[in-house]
Amino acid sequence: MPGNARHTTMLLPTGQQLDVFDQERVPQWRCQSNDQDLLTVQLDDTAARVLQSTDDPAQLCRAAWAFFVSRPTVTALEFSGDGHPGFMVQRDNDSAVLERDMLWQLTGDWLPKAAAFPYPVSMVMDDSGRRHPRRPAKPSGEVYRRFDTGIQAWVSLRVLDIEEDLERFMRWQNSQRVAAFWEQSGTLEEHRAYLESQARDPRVLNLIGCIDDDPFAYFEAYWAKEDRIAPYYDAQDFDRGIHMLVGEEHHRGPHKVKAWLNALCHYLFLDDCRTTRIVSEPRADNDRMIQHLQARRFAKPKEFDFPHKRAALMVLQRDAFFERCELS
């Protein structure tokens, strides 16, 4: 590509580096890896037409990711000819379209331990009499990693390790700001007992959020069908719910909320392709959290009364999340 093209380097969790050349005068966009062309796109006012692409589907997905990140207003890539991967939308004239919202639903490199197939459905009854799918064994270690160009940092999620994270968890829960909403301040042994109980519960997955591998947040991702929230809305078999806290002050701020909340929701939608909704139930007076959720396209259909709090029901639909696709 001519020397006046703007050059950007983009990083992948695998360690691979993508070189992007964006020439606005033509306009043309190209992605390379190790000096090998992966994707070349011609842009005009109505379309993004692929001039050249790699035959490797995994490398094509990586290059397409780089394209959609660098061109966030474009929603599809148009391919001519035949023989396109199955994740594209095939047209009658032997052409195909790779849609942005479909690309982001492929696990790709973001989930290092992605299951090859969805966990089979086997219905069980829990102790409370709720009928729900049997849940898969919980993962361990890191479950999600993506470089967020908005904050220019790696955002990752790993499963909480009690021995490694207990003191950190206690410090966060005992901070005045967190305790005001979580109401779980306590001793080291009280928090150990809580986390051990959570680890035994197949309903919930305890996660630590990291930015550039610096732990900063605690998340609980739960299956809503067997959770206490289920009686308050029409819970479906694969709905997930989230509880969230940011423990480190230096990682607070709207720009970082956007990065980690997008990552958390992205992970849960990728973790099981049958998950069509993510729910949350912050305290109804937690205006800041509700606003952050609404900015990520969570709807607020109602408020309701838990035994311990007045809560806002927040619901994120899968199609709303991927249609907007603010995964920079």
Side-chain angles (χ1 to χ4, degrees), residues 100-261:
R100 181 184 64 187
D101 59 342
M102 295 179 70
L103 176 73
W104 278 113
Q105 294 183 64
L106 302 175
T107 55
D109 298 321
W110 322 128
L111 270 61
K113 300 176 181 179
F117 304 100
Y119 193 68
V121 177
S122 173
M123 303 302 289
V124 296
M125 193 83 74
D126 66 16
D127 294 338
S128 66
R130 298 191 184 110
R131 189 170 183 269
H132 59 83
R134 189 189 307 275
R135 305 305 180 185
K138 297 182 187 183
S140 61
E142 187 171 277
V143 295
Y144 178 92
R145 176 175 289 266
R146 181 174 55 81
F147 189 81
D148 189 291
T149 60
I151 61 171
Q152 287 295 302
W154 289 102
V155 181
S156 60
L157 302 169
R158 62 173 175 80
V159 177
L160 179 141
D161 181 288
I162 294 177
E163 297 308 318
E164 178 182 352
D165 297 310
L166 177 60
E167 291 189 4
R168 177 183 296 115
F169 179 81
M170 184 187 71
R171 174 169 58 83
W172 290 348
Q173 291 285 9
N174 284 325
S175 73
Q176 185 176 1
R177 173 179 55 82
V178 172
F181 290 100
W182 276 69
E183 300 177 347
Q184 283 187 213
S185 56
T187 66
L188 194 69
E189 288 311 307
E190 288 171 334
H191 285 124
R192 179 186 290 276
Y194 174 78
L195 292 177
E196 288 176 346
S197 173
Q198 293 275 288
R200 293 190 297 269
D201 188 347
R203 172 188 57 89
V204 64
L205 179 64
N206 304 86
L207 297 166
I208 295 293
C210 301
I211 293 179
D212 279 343
D213 296 316
D214 179 26
F216 77 97
Y218 169 74
F219 307 123
E220 292 177 355
Y222 59 87
W223 296 103
K225 189 69 179 288
E226 53 263 47
D227 188 77
R228 64 186 180 184
I229 197 176
Y232 296 94
Y233 85 110
D234 181 26
Q236 303 299 307
D237 284 346
F238 296 96
D239 287 358
R240 300 296 284 266
I242 50 176
H243 298 142
M244 305 153 283
L245 76 82
V246 173
E248 300 298 342
E249 293 291 330
H250 63 284
H251 283 307
R252 297 180 66 199
H255 61 303
K256 289 191 176 179
V257 174
K258 177 183 177 181
W260 63 253
L261 187 52

